[in-house]
Amino acid sequence: MQTQSENRCYGGTQGVYSHSSEATGTEMTFGLYLPPDAADGPVPLLWFLSGLTCTHENAMTKAGAQALASEAGIAVCFPDTSPRGDDVADDDAFDLGKGAGFYVNATEEPWHPHYQMWDYVAEELPALLAKEFPIDPDRQAISGHSMGGHGALTLAMGLPGRFRSVSAFAPICNPTESDWGTKQFGAYLGPDRLSWAKHDATMMMRETGLDAPLLIDTGTDDQFADLLKTEALAHAIAERRQEAQIRLQKGYDHSYFFISTFMPDHVAFHAEALWS
């Protein structure tokens, strides 16, 4: 692991680090905010998974999480959204390839050699953080935006017992029924739609549910509302009687202005679960 930068931030440290990933076969970069409390011992960890076209940097610089995390005494990790490099397969469209890993393990060519983002976020990166930083692996929470909200929901349901709380900002809720999903799953996972089900939050909610409290915020003026399929997940949550809040925020869109507005609510939600 190499340190790309470390900056003093709200009494803690905002770092950017890179390492050689076995999962993706590439050099991967991530951001990690450590609060002042980390100087005294391991702290809880909140994951923030970003959306389409993003890198580790977008939420790290725009979401306004550090001041809140400093006060709450929790670390925040900002992983990248896909493998990077000249030999990594890509596509001309913004919603496939680099910046659009969808947090799945690709089985199809040309994506399979590098696009193993589930293994990277679920296994490799958590192990690295626990080894290199004062992180408490038994106290984790997860959040994300858009494609990253999809990732947060599916990772939480696919890894029962891992996360004490789950939240999402405008998540892609039913990708097997959306153009933000059918295109990517077909490319990464192949034509067998049965293999897609374990990466669809609505289908997973119906099948297994979630063993942690859930908070979702989506704007009523979200320009991608038809692609998010929020109502499908809401129905599945109601049918399962899942502990959850889905809040439709009047006038808000899909941007980081929306995320930063409600980030205080989400950090407080996670802090309560992480410190209980």
Side-chain angles (χ1 to χ4, degrees), residues 67-176:
L68 304 163
S70 174
E71 184 175 351
I74 61 178
V76 186
C77 183
F78 307 95
D80 202 348
T81 56
S82 77
R84 310 278 175 176
D86 293 340
D87 61 341
V88 174
D90 199 10
D91 190 88
D92 290 338
F94 77 95
D95 57 357
L96 184 67
K98 293 179 186 178
F102 265 76
Y103 305 99
V104 303
N105 286 340
T107 58
E108 304 299 301
E109 299 295 338
W111 314 103
H112 170 69
H114 301 296
Y115 284 78
Q116 303 297 309
M117 289 301 294
W118 178 281
D119 283 352
Y120 178 69
V121 175
E123 304 298 339
E124 185 177 19
L125 188 53
L128 178 66
L129 295 187
K131 177 183 176 183
E132 299 288 344
F133 300 97
I135 297 298
D136 183 351
D138 294 326
R139 289 184 291 169
Q140 297 186 62
I142 192 165
S143 185
H145 171 229
S146 193
M147 179 187 73
H150 140 78
L153 293 168
T154 56
L155 281 159
M157 285 187 274
L159 300 169
R162 174 76 64 90
F163 304 105
R164 295 194 179 189
S165 52
V166 185
S167 78
F169 298 85
I172 302 171
C173 297
N174 193 194
T176 61

Side-chain angles (χ1 to χ4, degrees), residues 175-256:
T176 61
E177 300 297 330
S178 169
D179 287 344
W180 275 359
T182 55
K183 172 184 177 180
Q184 294 81 7
F185 289 0
Y188 296 144
L189 304 176
D192 181 8
R193 295 178 71 96
L194 290 177
S195 69
W196 301 3
K198 63 182 179 181
H199 297 291
D200 185 302
T202 296
M203 298 178 73
M204 296 175 78
M205 181 61 69
R206 291 180 184 136
E207 183 67 24
T208 63
L210 180 62
D211 61 352
L214 172 63
L215 171 63
I216 293 174
D217 278 315
T218 298
T220 61
D221 287 2
D222 194 304
Q223 58 269 48
F224 304 111
D226 291 344
L227 296 167
L228 302 179
K229 305 294 182 183
T230 308
E231 64 279 7
L233 181 59
H235 285 305
I237 287 171
E239 289 167 1
R240 194 167 187 87
R241 311 293 288 182
Q242 172 71 44
E243 177 187 5
Q245 300 177 65
I246 297 181
R247 309 189 306 186
L248 300 180
Q249 302 292 359
K250 185 176 181 180
Y252 284 89
D253 59 15
H254 202 71
S255 70
Y256 270 91

